[in-house]
Amino acid sequence: MSTSAPITQDVMTIPRKLPEGGKINLVGLTRDQLREVLIANGTKEKQAKMRVGQIWQWIYQWGVRDFHEMTNLAKAYRAELDEKFEIALPEVVTRQVSEDGTRKYLVRIAGGHEVEVVYIPEDDRGTLCISSQVGCTLTCSFCHTGTQKLVRNLTAGEIIGQLMVARDDLGEWPVPGEPKDETRLLSNIVLMGMGEPLYNFENVRDAMKIAMDPEGISLSRRRITLSTSGVVPEIARTAEEIGCLLAISFHATTDDVRDVLVPINKRWKIDELLQALADYPKVSNSERITFEYVMLDGVNDSDEDAHRLIEHIKRYNIPAKINLIPFNEWPGAPYKRSSNNRIRAFANIIYQAGYASPIRKTRGEDIMAACGQLKSATERARKSRKQIEAEAGVAQG
Ligand code: SAH
Ligand code: SF4
């Protein structure tokens, strides 16, 4: 693990406006919910549909935060909106940029909790890895987030808010009147940060609907990937109600090993999971399912494992690609990363069987931004802020 200092670390000194004074935050409301709050606060029912459309576009298409800038609304109406509502995002506490261009944001949400958001630029795309919960109820033995108790679910506003703060930082909101830039810096979303998205289904769904809405951020559902440890009953619901791409944290080829690595397997066994995966593409009309497979030295990385993995996928005829993830170690982790040779041999067996088997490149290692490292990063950030405060002689309660 790299110990080198991050290239940049900004500690924001001017906090973004937090929810205050009983104003209702409009970020994260569905179109129906937005309509309801507008009507409840005096918007005429006959006009509500049009107002929803206008306000929606200002917030999600143009990234406007001030009602006074919503120039197609009457001045008096803008003032009324400003009195009752706000457009509030999570507060960015720190922003780190890796030497490979990966950016990691620590954002603070209501209650003072913190989650991490990671932006990964690549040649042909830019992917934002967002969190769905603070902590996780599950206890996958190789995952650092899994050692942290669930603190709470994120709201839909906090989930889509992560994307909006990243767009702010990338300077990627279009300007009215100018042509839209089709080659986006932020073109893809993966729900692979902290938490199990399918244990926060409604909020994740509502946030993704906002991301996909054609009159706003308008990301294609094929550019959104939800990763789950295998909450089987919610997989069908994901197909029906979200329709995004699915990734599954598979990680083991026998129930005995998967029970240990991904303990939700005790509740829903490999065969039940595979059946749900086989049904997914038909219902969601989507393409291949990504099997995520973390490479743990001597635990799940044998040739037999590779062959068994292929058998499982073939038995259920699942259109699949297998993403091999070199284990990212964290302090006190009970596993070691498989050797590069072992990972390549494993990948080769899968490739020979006719499936894509990319080995995930570890990104942002110098800023602890890699999968499964997010808790330690939070702790480090907390410590460094305390240190900074101590050094500056700031008395802090
Ligand atoms: N809870 C969801 C999504 C978050 S985890 C899930 O489990 O799918 C995102 C991915 O990172 C998962 O595939 C997870 O298994 C993997 N991961 C977690 N800890 C890791 C580690 N230390 N090294 C490599 N990958 C890890
Ligand atoms: Fe939770 Fe996913 Fe980590 Fe398992 S791998 S503990 S489900 S975040």
Side-chain angles (χ1 to χ4, degrees):
M1 206 173 307
S2 167
T3 52
S4 63
I7 303 306
T8 65
Q9 169 155 8
D10 303 337
V11 176
M12 305 283 174
T13 48
I14 309 162
R16 197 182 287 278
K17 203 175 76 174
L18 282 171
E20 55 173 47
K23 284 189 180 183
I24 300 169
N25 186 10
L26 299 185
V27 176
L29 300 184
T30 61
R31 280 176 178 269
D32 286 347
Q33 289 165 342
L34 180 55
R35 185 188 141 87
E36 270 168 42
V37 299
L38 290 180
I39 292 172
N41 284 278
T43 300
K44 291 195 187 75
E45 252 191 272
K46 270 206 309 214
Q47 293 184 338
K49 191 170 179 221
M50 189 166 86
R51 298 286 171 253
V52 167
Q54 289 167 319
I55 295 167
W56 188 275
Q57 275 187 316
W58 283 115
I59 299 177
Y60 298 115
Q61 184 164 349
W62 307 114
V64 161
R65 303 289 148 74
D66 182 346
F67 293 104
H68 297 292
E69 288 173 32
M70 301 186 175
T71 46
N72 57 356
L73 301 175
K75 272 204 174 141
Y77 186 64
R78 288 186 236 165
E80 263 175 55
L81 291 174
D82 187 51
E83 237 170 67
K84 291 166 182 153
F85 304 117
E86 62 181 353
I87 302 165
L89 301 185
E91 172 196 358
V92 178
V93 183
T94 60
R95 166 186 178 277
Q96 292 170 279
V97 183
S98 160
E99 46 198 359
D100 70 12
T102 301
R103 297 183 186 200
K104 187 175 72 180
Y105 311 96
L106 180 69
V107 302
R108 189 179 297 150
I109 55 172
H113 308 300
E114 289 164 349
V115 290
E116 283 165 331
V117 191
V118 179
Y119 172 73
I120 307 147
E122 288 171 275
D123 291 344
D124 59 340
R125 67 175 77 180
T127 303
L128 193 70
C129 177
I130 63 186
S131 295
S132 56
Q133 299 182 310
V134 185
C136 190
T137 50
L138 300 170
T139 53
C140 302
S141 52
F142 57 89
C143 172
H144 209 190
T145 309
T147 65
Q148 180 183 356
K149 279 200 182 126
L150 176 74
V151 178
R152 74 166 168 85
N153 280 336
L154 298 189
T155 63
E158 289 161 348
I159 297 170
I160 197 68
Q162 295 172 55
L163 182 141
M164 294 168 77
V165 296
R167 279 196 112 182
D168 285 356
D169 186 49
L170 296 167
E172 202 174 38
W173 295 101
V175 178
E178 284 185 8
K180 248 175 109 175
D181 182 4
E182 295 303 336
T183 50
R184 292 199 200 176
L185 291 172
L186 201 173
S187 60
N188 293 60
I189 301 178
V190 293
L191 281 149
M192 293 187 188
M194 295 164 74
E196 168 49 59
L198 295 190
Y199 275 152
N200 185 16
F201 187 89
E202 282 84 5
N203 289 323
V204 166
R205 175 199 58 204
D206 291 350
M208 292 307 106
K209 291 261 186 219
I210 293 172
M212 294 186 280
D213 190 294
E215 283 178 30
I217 296 158
S218 85
L219 278 181
S220 150
R221 66 192 183 86
R222 290 169 201 280
R223 289 185 173 273
I224 300 175
T225 303
L226 183 150
S227 174
T228 179
S229 57
V231 187
V232 165
E234 303 294 323
I235 288 178
R237 245 184 119 193
T238 307
E240 284 158 21
E241 298 181 34
I242 308 177
C244 59
L245 301 182
L246 189 72
I248 179 75
S249 289
F250 206 69
H251 304 319
T253 61
T254 63
D255 280 321
D256 282 350
V257 177
R258 198 163 190 272
D259 281 353
V260 175
L261 297 183
V262 190
I264 200 176
N265 196 69
K266 293 182 197 153
R267 179 86 170 75
W268 294 289
K269 296 285 175 198
I270 287 180
D271 271 307
E272 252 177 294
L273 174 60
L274 288 166
Q275 186 57 57
L277 298 176
D279 295 337
Y280 189 87
K282 289 170 234 152
V283 182
S284 65
N285 186 27
S286 66
E287 300 126 32
R288 292 179 300 181
I289 289 180
T290 302
F291 281 66
E292 298 169 277
Y293 199 93
V294 66
M295 298 298 291
L296 305 172
D297 184 35
V299 175
N300 64 354
D301 62 350
S302 68
D303 285 358
E304 293 72 45
D305 280 307
H307 290 296
R308 255 195 310 267
L309 180 58
I310 297 303
E311 277 165 32
H312 284 318
I313 293 170
K314 288 212 158 134
R315 190 152 33 93
Y316 284 85
N317 199 18
I318 301 170
K321 102 169 178 210
I322 293 90
N323 209 332
L324 301 177
I325 315 173
F327 175 56
N328 295 310
E329 292 178 20
W330 37 271
Y335 304 108
K336 291 218 162 344
R337 180 186 290 190
S338 308
S339 71
N340 287 343
N341 280 345
R342 183 86 297 268
I343 298 175
R344 274 195 292 269
F346 196 97
N348 201 37
I349 293 173
I350 293 166
Y351 181 74
Q352 296 298 330
Y355 295 90
S357 56
I359 299 167
R360 189 178 290 172
K361 227 170 98 195
T362 297
R363 298 288 303 262
E365 229 174 351
D366 54 338
I367 56 169
M368 291 283 284
C371 323
Q373 292 186 322
L374 296 187
K375 180 194 167 191
S376 46
T378 310
E379 286 177 344
R380 275 160 47 120
R382 207 171 266 143
K383 205 190 270 168
S384 68
R385 259 206 324 288
K386 272 205 189 118
Q387 278 164 359
I388 290 162
E389 281 157 6
E391 277 164 23
V394 181
Q396 195 80 19

